[in-house]
């Protein structure tokens, strides 16, 4: 894990030395230190908080408005991303709150290969006549520039980098500048990279979105989301969306997510090293026709990822012989890898993404997404390579 220092959060008022993201993951969002103070913010299960009188203005108020356990997680994610965070009931609740930053009749530019939930939500809003949606290839600056120029009125430029599951890499700084030239709000779904590998606000984005369910929580036992913004007006709009649409986080999930963040640097370091190792080995397997991982020098996103990210991440996508049947045969043949959707946990998962009816058509039928966990890489390779042999029986059938 590169020890790049990007946070400006001081260790204490007495020292202004900024902490590295790996340290912030451990220390951010702790209660104030004092004799017998708790090391961890506890799970706060109050539905309401004592207020009234002169306390009324400053109090947390009610459990749908705020919660001390949320505040601890929000502090940690905010410090890691370099902005102010709000937690939501799920990554989709966070995506939805950010998409609603664009007013009715506005336009959302969405990556053609974005996460399928984002496609489905924006498609639904478009079908209801609330917004216009334009899919764009976010690896093509000219295409995005032309789409922005052809768009009138309020615009949201939605970026995801690397994308799920094609692992395409967007030039966030260049795209944020382009978006701002056209008056667009620029949002980045940073779920795949995490703030440890990429900090979109620093690259010029206005809003960052997370499925906290994934790497941040890290143990496949929580569904949660977060949005991070840098300016007060955006934060207020997101907060009011959360309060009145009501997609609030459960305090226990919030506690678990913060506990997960404490080990994010270690988990990510292991997972992404194994992902890069497996990506190299997969290139040589006869059942594999294409490997997508930004660590590979031949990957189209390699140079950009190397300059914009401090690591290449723990997701790998492969295409295999035998089309969808070949890919399904691989999923059926694994024993250690878990055939399941989701990603970013300590356990390695494998999934053919087009099995979902709402997966964008740009995703190949034979694409398998691999979320590399923290198991021993030799065990992972042995299981994956024997499972890939199953696809060879389907070779030549498509
Ligand atoms: N964004 C990305 C990139 C995702 O992969 C996902 C879920 O897979 C989401 C958002 C939605 O998150 P959640 O499942 O926590 O609602």
């Amino acid at each position: 894990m590169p020890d790049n220092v990007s946070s400006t959060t001081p260790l204490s008022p007495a020292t202004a030395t900024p902490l590295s993201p790996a340290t912030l993951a451990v220390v951010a969002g702790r209660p104030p230190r004092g004799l017998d103070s708790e090391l961890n913010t506890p799970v706060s299960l109050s539905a309401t908080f004592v207020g009234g009188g002169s306390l009324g203005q400053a109090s947390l108020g009610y459990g749908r408005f705020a919660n001390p356990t949320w505040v601890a997680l929000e502090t940690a994610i905010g410090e890691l991303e370099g902005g102010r965070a709000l937690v939501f009931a799920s990554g989709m609740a966070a995506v939805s709150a950010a998409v609603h930053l664009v007013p009715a009749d506005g336009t959302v530019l969405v990556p053609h290969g974005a996460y399928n939930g984002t496609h489905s939500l924006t498609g639904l809003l478009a079908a209801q006549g609330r917004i216009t949606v334009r899919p764009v290839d976010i690896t093509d600056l000219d295409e995005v520039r032309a789409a922005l120029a052809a768009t009138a009125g309020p615009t949201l430029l939605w970026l995801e980098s690397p994308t799920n599951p094609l692992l395409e890499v967007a030039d966030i700084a260049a795209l944020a500048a382009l978006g701002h030239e056209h008056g667009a709000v620029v949002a980045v779904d940073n779920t795949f990279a995490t703030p440890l590998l990429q900090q979109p606000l620093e690259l010029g984005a206005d809003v960052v979105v997370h499925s906290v369910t994934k790497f941040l929580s890290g143990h496949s036992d929580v569904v949660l989301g977060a949005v991070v913004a840098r300016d007060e007006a955006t934060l207020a709009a997101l907060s009011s969306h959360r309060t009145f649409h009501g997609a609030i986080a459960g305090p226990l999930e919030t506690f678990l997510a913060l506990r997960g963040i404490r080990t994010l640097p270690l988990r990510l370091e292991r997972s992404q090293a194994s992902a890069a190792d497996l990506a190299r080995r997969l290139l040589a397997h006869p059942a594999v026709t294409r490997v997508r991982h930004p660590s590979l020098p031949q990957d189209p996103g390699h140079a950009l990822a190397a300059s914009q990210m401090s690591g290449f991440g723990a997701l790998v996508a492969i295409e295999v012989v035998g089309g969808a049947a070949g890919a399904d045969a691989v999923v059926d043949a694994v024993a250690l890898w878990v055939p399941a959707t989701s990603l970013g946990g300590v356990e390695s998962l494998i999934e053919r993404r087009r099995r979902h009816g709402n997966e964008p058509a740009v995703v190949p039928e034979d694409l398998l997404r691999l979320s590399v966990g923290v198991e021993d890489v030799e065990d992972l390779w042995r299981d994956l390579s024997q499972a890939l042999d199953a696809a060879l029986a389907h070779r030549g059938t498509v």
Side-chain angles (χ1 to χ4, degrees), residues 5-392:
V5 175
S6 63
S7 170
T8 53
T9 306
L11 180 60
S12 74
T15 159
T17 310
L19 299 173
S20 79
T23 303
L24 273 182
V26 177
V27 304
R30 300 270 184 204
R33 213 180 272 195
L35 186 65
D36 285 340
S37 60
E38 286 167 303
L39 186 58
N40 298 303
T41 301
V43 181
S44 169
L45 293 174
S46 257
T48 192
F49 301 94
V50 177
S54 57
L55 288 176
Q57 287 303 310
S59 77
L60 294 167
Y62 179 57
R64 182 160 42 78
F65 309 160
N67 171 291
T69 321
W70 299 355
V71 174
L73 177 61
E74 288 167 345
T75 303
I77 296 177
E79 289 192 18
L80 284 166
E81 286 287 5
R84 289 189 50 201
L86 292 170
V87 293
F88 286 78
S90 65
M92 274 314 298
V95 170
S96 179
V99 165
H100 279 85
L101 287 171
V102 70
D105 297 332
T107 301
V108 183
L109 304 188
V110 196
H112 63 186
Y115 166 59
N116 64 28
T118 304
H119 266 286
S120 294
L121 172 69
T122 51
L124 193 67
L125 295 172
Q128 292 169 344
R130 295 179 187 207
I131 55 169
T132 301
V133 177
R134 280 171 187 264
V136 284
D137 177 353
I138 52 168
T139 66
D140 184 341
L141 290 181
D142 291 335
E143 184 181 323
V144 177
R145 186 181 292 110
L148 284 165
T151 303
T155 306
L156 175 66
L157 173 58
W158 190 269
L159 304 175
E160 203 180 282
S161 189
T163 55
N164 178 5
L166 295 177
L167 298 170
E168 291 178 331
V169 181
D171 186 338
I172 296 174
L175 287 162
L178 265 185
H180 291 156
E181 270 170 38
H182 289 84
V185 172
V186 179
V188 178
D189 186 330
N190 204 26
T191 299
F192 270 33
T194 85
L196 263 72
L197 303 185
Q198 174 172 279
Q199 286 157 338
L201 296 183
E202 204 172 285
L203 294 168
D206 304 299
V207 173
V208 171
V209 171
H210 278 284
S211 170
V212 177
T213 314
K214 316 301 187 203
F215 290 100
L216 297 183
S217 294
H219 295 76
S220 306
D221 53 6
V222 158
V223 174
L224 216 60
V227 184
V228 193
R230 58 160 131 234
D231 72 274
E232 287 299 328
T234 307
L235 201 76
L238 292 164
S239 175
S240 126
H241 185 280
R242 180 177 70 178
T243 296
F244 299 117
H245 288 249
I248 58 163
L252 176 60
E253 286 81 351
T254 311
F255 177 91
L256 289 173
L258 185 51
R259 186 170 70 163
I261 287 177
R262 303 304 183 208
T263 55
L264 175 66
L266 297 170
R267 290 185 281 106
L268 201 53
E269 184 176 1
R270 167 74 162 237
S271 293
Q272 68 172 354
S274 296
D277 186 347
L278 293 173
R280 276 191 303 276
R281 299 190 202 197
L282 284 161
L283 285 171
H285 195 287
V288 176
T289 56
R290 178 167 179 183
V291 183
R292 297 170 189 253
H293 191 251
S295 69
L296 298 171
Q298 62 271 46
D299 190 275
H302 174 74
L304 195 50
S307 68
Q308 169 173 284
M309 301 172 70
S310 54
F312 297 109
L315 272 302
V316 180
I318 55 174
E319 291 156 45
V320 297
V321 295
D328 284 339
V330 177
V331 172
D332 287 341
V334 290
L336 174 61
W337 290 73
V338 183
T341 197
S342 200
L343 57 103
V346 290
E347 56 289 299
S348 296
L349 307 183
I350 183 166
E351 184 183 38
R352 186 173 78 81
R353 288 298 290 173
R354 284 294 293 277
R355 78 189 174 103
H356 299 286
N358 66 336
E359 191 68 12
V362 290
V363 176
E365 280 285 359
D366 58 5
L367 181 139
L368 291 167
R369 188 185 69 192
L370 311 176
S371 175
V372 181
V374 301
E375 306 91 334
D376 184 279
V377 71
E378 296 304 332
D379 289 336
L380 288 175
W381 174 244
R382 206 175 309 114
D383 187 44
L384 186 60
S385 60
Q386 67 76 27
L388 281 164
D389 293 342
L392 293 173

